[in-house]
Every structure is written in structure tokens, then in C-alpha cells.
Amino acid sequence: MLERIRQWIERRKGRQIGEHDFSNLPEPKTSGNLLLDDCRLIILDLETTGLNPARDEVIAIGAVAIQGGVIHLDDQFDLILRRPELNIDETVLIHGIGNEALTHGHETQDALLYLLEWMNGDPILAYHSAFDQKFLEKALKLQIGYTRNHLWMDAADLLPALFPDIKPGGKGLDHWAEHFGLEFSTRHHAAADAMATAELTLIAINKAIKDGVKTVEQLNTKLQYHRRLQNMHRF
Amino acid sequence: MAGSPQDSNRPQNTRAIMTFLREHAPFSNMDDAHLAHFAEHATLRFYADGDPVITPEEGVVKRFYVVKQGRICGERPSEKEDRTETTFEISVGECFPLAALIGERPTRTLHRAAGDTFCLSIEQDAFVTLFSDSEPFRDFCLRGVSSLLDQVNQRLQSKAMASMGSSNTLDTPLENYALRNPIVCSPDLPVSKAVARMHDNNVGSIIITDDNRHPTGIFTLRDLRTMVAEGKSPLDTPIGQVMTRNPSSLTSDADAFEAAMLMAEHHFAHLCVVDEEEHLIGVVSERDLFSLQRVDLVHLARTIGTATHLRTLVSLRSDVSRLVDSMLAHGADSGQVVKIITTLNDVTVRRVLELNLKRNDPGIPFTWLTFGSEGRQEQTLLTDQDNGILFQTPEGMTADQVREKLLPFARTVNEELAECGFTLCKGNIMASNPKLCLSGDEWDEWFIRFIDASTPQNLVYSSIFLDMRAVYGDTEPLRLLLDKVLTRIRKNALFQKMLAGNALQRKPPLTMFRHFRYVSDGDHRRALDLKRQGLAPFVESVRVFALANGVETANTLERMSALVKKGIFDAKDGNAWREAYSLIQAIRMRAHQEMLKEGEELSNYIDPDDLNPLDRRILRESFRQAQRLQQKLEVTYQF
């Protein structure tokens, strides 16, 4: 009996992360003239049940914030979602999140609302962001009916665009991390991957500012230009 | 990587930072709650190669930094030229800028990133919280300096660093070391053949290279031993499967210091030397860096102790100097070395006395006293005579009659000692001085006058006469005398206070901003006097505490230990002061060895610019410890 009460309390705890004002969520910022050396950027990484956004689900969200070119560790996001109904057998070996962690995780809707509030509408960077963007947008739409557009940038474009002369062993997060001698605390943990991505982003921002890139918009333009260039090479 | 149970409630990135911190002092000794406080309040900053991290222009330092990855160099403008020079280096896990942060002042040195560098950093608020809540952290910050000394000392002791005798060798580029044509092989060579090749060439390592002569691995005799012991792979295994991959390498313009540090840090004994394109050009072994010399103290002492002629004793003095050289080169701790010098000096003094007694015994029982540094057993190669005689007056003779017999004897001894390299004392503090050739009662009266009439001159002499030891003869008369003297001093608070005031006259040579304060005499414009400015503040302050608390020994290090035992010094303070004192002494002795090698006259002056950055840093931190010791003296005697 005691054990069940304990579990129930644990679940209650996981359920509520403050009060959410659904009608008053932060406004997504368009890049406009946000200054790189001043603005807040969200570096996000998701762990999912698989690679297919149509079928698979988000199970963990890790994010860190860069503000004024500095990672602030008191401003981070590290949640496992409570989704006991999900089948995670396929991926449990990669991210190490088992059924138990999922049943004790946070209620999805709460977590997503909390994430939106925490992100505060700031631009989002992710490594191979298309993947994270699809998953997150789907989860937001299905779970809480949220469909607003946020500004996403791909950290995977950031480094080759700013360091065109560096050719690491490949395009992955690991390759760039290895090139700069970064260490992952653990790999395939949303928060740790977000941290490594954020560290690379710090390196990129340092370079961008030296290259005269001042605003998020200018940076985004540079990324898009790089992407177009890449696509041209492909044909 | 023991994490506490509540670790799992903390975000992954907080835990990761705590894990990182736990690997480094002082965090390794801190509670998890305090580490968590650090991690949760930290920011992570990136600095590209050459980016400034903190500058003097920024004003009062408001943040505390820990290097997470990369390196920070301290830079100050060089006075001579239009460039800057590196004053220190801070590497992974090390903290900065402690002194400026605690002193609430701007940094004096431009801190610049060397290579891509990440730093963890907390704001002053979080720093103050940790400082007040965590004892290990507070200790580290206050003694930051001495904790650094701890580490440096460990390195000094560690085999590699140890052998780096003089500061010059530290700067010698690796290319100056005999880089034997390294023995190499390809990865497919069987181990047995590779070992045969090593054997033929009488070397302990073989480098495995690829077609372009890039080193890909190294195999050493130690690896062979492990392989044989484990018995997992047969000796015909291709060496590429058992070699240590990616051997450490340095370019030939790196210096011996870097090589020694790298070896000491990773506990390996061989390094590849490569050119800019990473082609192998040589191998440096630990042994190459420090050519071994036999140190034979016992033999030398025996030879001195049985010499039959003065000229033999004179010629043996150069062996003493060579011995000191080689002991220093082997990283003997400076406290040990000065004791060895003192021991050999004692043997010499005794032998001179014995030879003279054989020739011409005055027939009076006496004790040969030494004062000052020899009394403290702290002699270096630069030493002059400070001695005296304590005699027992035979029945039916007056003290003056005894002196008549003893003084000519003492004069000969003083002169012969001078021939052996113990310079005659300019202040005539020598046994041949009638005022210092006294009976037990006369010495007692002498000390009563010395203590009661604490004239400025007497206070100057306190550093000589209050550090006294018997070198030859019966020690009992001296023990009785010391007993009386110590009791008198312990009861005389005024004398203690005057001694303390005198000890505070000599300030460690640091400016308010922790820069070196140079002596002002014309000849030594950019010089520090390591003896008077560096060691004396320790010696004199410690003497006051020792005499006031009935510590009998005259040796400064032993006095400090005794004071810790008596609870007068906090154990950690005592350690820090012992180390700081020893390190200044070590630097002084190395300087002496250098001067000897150059054929210069020995002096206690050094130009800190001639030191390598590590030694400069050590010296500065050691002086700061002297300031702390003097502060304790000030507080104790309420100045």
C-alpha cells in the first residue's frame, strides 16, 4: 500500500511543472536583428523511438541555452517524457531510456508547454535540425494543438559554413566534436548531445563575430547560402 | 567516478560538469552539494586561440574560471622589446585568477587563450558562497598558492622533473639532445624480430612507422614484459597488434621541460620527436634527458673524515660542490641538500680540528660552536665562518689563562678553514675572537647581557647567536647553556616582542601588487636577494616562535615541524611555509651551481627574469607565504 502511495506521489510530481497559460505562450521570434553576441539561442536535441516522424515519437528533450555567446548551465532543459504506452524496444539500447524511466517521466503535454515557455520563442539550433523540427512540430501539434512557426537553424550547416577550410572526417556531430577535441559526457543522451552541439555553436559564434556576422539574420543568410552552394555541388 | 545517489536527480550536464571537476584539485576534495552549486551556477565560455580571457583593463575581477579544455597563458609586456612574454600557463582543471579575485583587484596579467579553449566560470556571488561554505575550497583559495607549490613540489620530486637540475637545461630545445637515429620498423614485423632489432641496437624502444615515416605506434621493453607476463599473444604476433598506438610526440623545437612534463604526466619514458610534417626524426628517452651520475655521499664523507693533510681537504671541497650539483640534478629536496652540505662541512671542520689537535693540543676540553646558518644546518656552498668556543676551565686556571692557550689554536683553525673555502667572517664572529672564546659561565653572562640589553646591534646578532649548535667536543655544556638561555627568553615577553619587530624588518620582495620588489642598491638593479629578502623572513619569524615556545633545535624546517607539533602553527600552514622556504632555498642553490659552473663569484642575488616561468611563479608564491607568516607574527605580537 505504502509503495503505491509513493508511486502515486511520484507521478503527481512528474505531472505538474508549474501552471501553464496556454493562451499566453511566448511569441516566436523572427530572426530580425537579434544580435549574435547578445541574444538567446536554444540548442535542442531529441531522443525518439525511431527515425520515422510519421510513426515514431519523442521520448526525451534536452536543451541548453546560449545567451550572449555563453552557455548558462542554470538555463537548461533535461526531461524524459512519460509515455508508458510507447514501444521503445528498438531504440532503448541507443539512448538507454527504459520503460521504467518513461513511466516516471513527465506528462507529455506539461513537458511540451513547459518547453515552449522555457524556449521563450528564441531561435532554435539543432544538429541536423530537420529531424528534430519534424518530430517536435508533430508532437506539439498532436499533443497540444500548437502550430506556430519557430525559427530553426541547422548546426550541421553552421560549422562548414564558417570553417570552409576544415574538413573533418564526416558531417556528423561526432566528426566536428572530434575535430575540436570536445568530449561527450555520454553519447545519445539528449541533454549531453545538446551540450556538445552548443559547444560547437560557441566555437561557430566566436568565428562568425570575427567574420563580421552580427545578427542572427545574417548568420541564417550565410547558412542558407552555404546550403544552396552544397546543393549546387550535388548536381 | 563515484557519483552520489542524488546525482541521478540532477540534469545530465550538471552531473557531467561535476564529474569533470571531481578529477581536479580542489574540487576532488569538495562535497557533492558544493560541486553541484558550482555546476548549476556555471557558465561555459569559448575562446579561440589568441582571444583575451581577462585583461587588466577590465577592472576588478568578478569571475572565477576553471579551464575545461585548452590552455590559458599569462602575458606581460617585456620591458626590453616590443613584445610580450608568457609568465605562466594554466591548463585543464586549473583555476584562475585567484589572487586578483580574492584581492578584489584587476588582474595584473593579460590572460589569453592558447589554442581553442573552453572555460567554466562562476560569478563572484557563487564564488563567495563556495568560499564560505566549503572548507577545502577556501583552503585552496587562501593557500592556492601553496597548493600550487604542492603540485610543483610533486613534480620536482617526480623522477622526470627531478633531473632537470639547472633552470637552463629546462629551456634546451630537444634537438640539442642526442637524438639517436631512431630504431623503426613496419607494423607487420613480428615482435620477436623487433625485439632482436632493439637488442642489437641496445635501445629500450622501437617506433612503428608507416610508409611516410609517420610514427603510428611505439613498443618498449616494458610492453614486452607485459606481453610475456600476460602470455596472451605469441612472440610472432605482428608488432602492429601489440604496440601502443599514437605515441606522444613533440617537435624538435620543443624544450626539455615540455618533454619532461609530458613524460611525468603520462608516466611514459619515451617520446617521438617529429618535424613539422610529423615525420619521425628521433626519440627522446627519460634517460637522455637526465644523464645519470652516481651520487656517493658516504664515500666522500669518509674520505674527508680520514684525510691526513690540509691540502687533501682543500681539494675535496670541489667534490662537495660536484656532489651537490648531482644531488640537485637528481631532484633531491633542498632541505636534504643543505643538510648534506652541512654534514660534509661538519666533517671538514672536525677533521681540521683533529689534525690541529694532533699537531698541537692546547690540552683544554672545549666545545666548538657554530652559529647562524651553519648552526641551523642550512649552509649552502656560499658560506662563511661563524664559530666560537665554549670551554671548561681546568682547576687552578683562570678563564683568561685558558684563552691564552686556546686563541692561537683557534686562529690556526680559522685560517685553515678559510683555505678550505669557509670565508673568514667579516664581523669577526670566529673562535679566535677573545669575546667568543668563553667558559660556560661567561657565555651565560654574555647571553644575559644580550637578552636584557636588547640593543639594535644585539638584535642584528640574534640571527647568529640564537641559532647555535655544537660541531665538535662534548655537547653537554652547550645543552646546559641553551637550557638557561631558552628559559630566559621564554620568560621575557619584551625581548620576544623586540625580536619579532626585528624579524618584521625584512619584508618579502613583493610589491602590493605581488610584483617582485627589487633591491635598491646600484649594482643589483633588477635583482632579488634570495637570502636576505627570501629566506630571512622565514628564518627570523620562525626563530621568534621557536624561542618563545622552547623549541631547542636551530634548523628552520625542524623548528617549523616542532611548532606544528606544539600546536603553535596550523599543520597546513606549517606545511605551506616549509615548502615555500624549501623552494626558495632550492632556487638559490641552483643559482649557486650555475655561478660555479660559470666561474663567477657566488652571490645570493638573482634576476628573476633569468628564471623560467615556473620558477618565477614558484618564487612569487613562496614570497607570498612569507608574507602570511609575517602576518601571523604581527598578530601574535600585536604590532
Side-chain angles (χ1 to χ4, degrees), chain B residues 439-452:
Chain B
S439 71
D441 291 341
E442 286 172 331
W443 272 116
D444 194 28
E445 277 168 42
W446 189 96
F447 271 108
I448 292 176
R449 284 198 307 278
F450 185 85
I451 293 165
D452 288 348

Side-chain angles (χ1 to χ4, degrees), chain A residues 7-165:
Chain A
Q7 280 179 4
W8 178 78
I9 291 172
E10 293 261 308
R11 233 172 300 148
R12 281 296 305 168
K13 249 200 317 198
R15 185 166 293 175
Q16 214 70 31
I17 315 171
E19 293 294 313
H20 305 290
D21 185 353
F22 192 77
S23 56
N24 208 6
L25 286 169
E27 194 72 13
K29 294 175 183 120
T30 51
S31 74
N33 42 12
L34 294 171
L35 289 173
L36 264 189
D37 59 5
D38 182 47
C39 72
R40 184 167 175 270
L41 299 170
I42 304 300
I43 321 297
L44 183 95
D45 189 82
L46 304 177
E47 298 302 330
T48 59
T49 53
L51 294 173
N52 183 350
R55 191 172 53 108
D56 294 312
E57 303 280 348
V58 178
I59 50 175
I61 305 172
V64 295
I66 293 179
Q67 172 115 43
V70 172
I71 299 173
H72 294 263
L73 283 140
D74 56 358
D75 189 14
Q76 54 172 314
F77 194 94
D78 186 353
L79 281 187
I80 294 170
L81 303 181
R82 199 175 81 84
R83 309 287 292 277
E85 75 281 9
L86 290 179
N87 177 5
I88 50 148
D89 294 347
E90 283 173 44
T91 51
V92 67
L93 289 177
I94 298 176
H95 46 61
I97 300 170
N99 272 316
E100 185 161 3
L102 284 182
T103 46
H104 288 115
H106 291 279
E107 202 70 61
T108 307
Q109 295 179 355
D110 266 336
L112 290 174
L113 284 166
Y114 179 40
L115 178 66
L116 286 171
E117 283 170 357
W118 177 79
M119 293 202 301
N120 193 35
D122 292 317
I124 306 165
L125 275 128
Y127 210 93
H128 297 314
S129 58
F131 173 86
D132 300 84
Q133 187 175 358
K134 271 186 205 132
F135 269 97
L136 189 62
E137 281 177 350
K138 184 188 119 188
L140 287 170
K141 186 174 174 191
L142 292 181
Q143 296 282 337
I144 55 175
Y146 181 91
T147 54
R148 307 194 59 174
N149 284 327
H150 285 249
L151 175 68
W152 286 77
M153 287 186 283
D154 193 343
D157 289 338
L158 199 57
L159 292 152
L162 286 160
F163 296 95
D165 298 335

Side-chain angles (χ1 to χ4, degrees), chain A residues 64 69-74 76 78 180-183 185-186 189 191-192 195 199-200 202-203 206 210, chain B residues 10-17 39-49 51 68-69 116 118 120:
Chain A
V64 295
V70 172
I71 299 173
H72 294 263
L73 283 140
D74 56 358
Q76 54 172 314
D78 186 353
F180 285 106
L182 305 183
E183 279 181 18
S185 59
T186 67
H189 180 296
M195 188 58 148
E199 288 177 8
L200 287 173
L202 284 192
I203 297 175
N206 181 292
K210 281 180 187 153
Chain B
R10 298 193 170 107
Q12 165 63 24
N13 292 321
T14 306
R15 273 183 282 154
I17 288 175
E40 282 158 8
H41 290 81
T43 56
L44 185 66
R45 288 148 194 266
F46 171 75
Y47 305 92
D49 184 30
D51 281 358
K68 180 159 180 286
Q69 184 188 328
D116 288 346
F118 284 92
L120 286 164

Side-chain angles (χ1 to χ4, degrees), chain B residues 93 137 142 171 200 395 425 616:
Chain B
F137 188 69
L142 289 180
D171 307 321
D200 290 344
E395 284 289 319
C425 175
R616 250 198 316 266

Side-chain angles (χ1 to χ4, degrees), chain B residues 34-84:
Chain B
H34 297 140
L35 291 183
H37 187 85
F38 187 110
E40 282 158 8
H41 290 81
T43 56
L44 185 66
R45 288 148 194 266
F46 171 75
Y47 305 92
D49 184 30
D51 281 358
V53 179
I54 331 174
T55 64
E57 291 77 33
E58 277 166 34
V60 176
V61 173
K62 294 276 189 214
R63 312 190 65 88
F64 172 78
Y65 297 80
V66 182
V67 180
K68 180 159 180 286
Q69 184 188 328
R71 214 155 31 101
I72 302 287
C73 282
E75 231 175 54
R76 68 172 178 195
S78 169
E79 288 179 13
K80 290 163 202 158
E81 289 160 59
D82 223 14
R83 60 190 174 89
T84 53

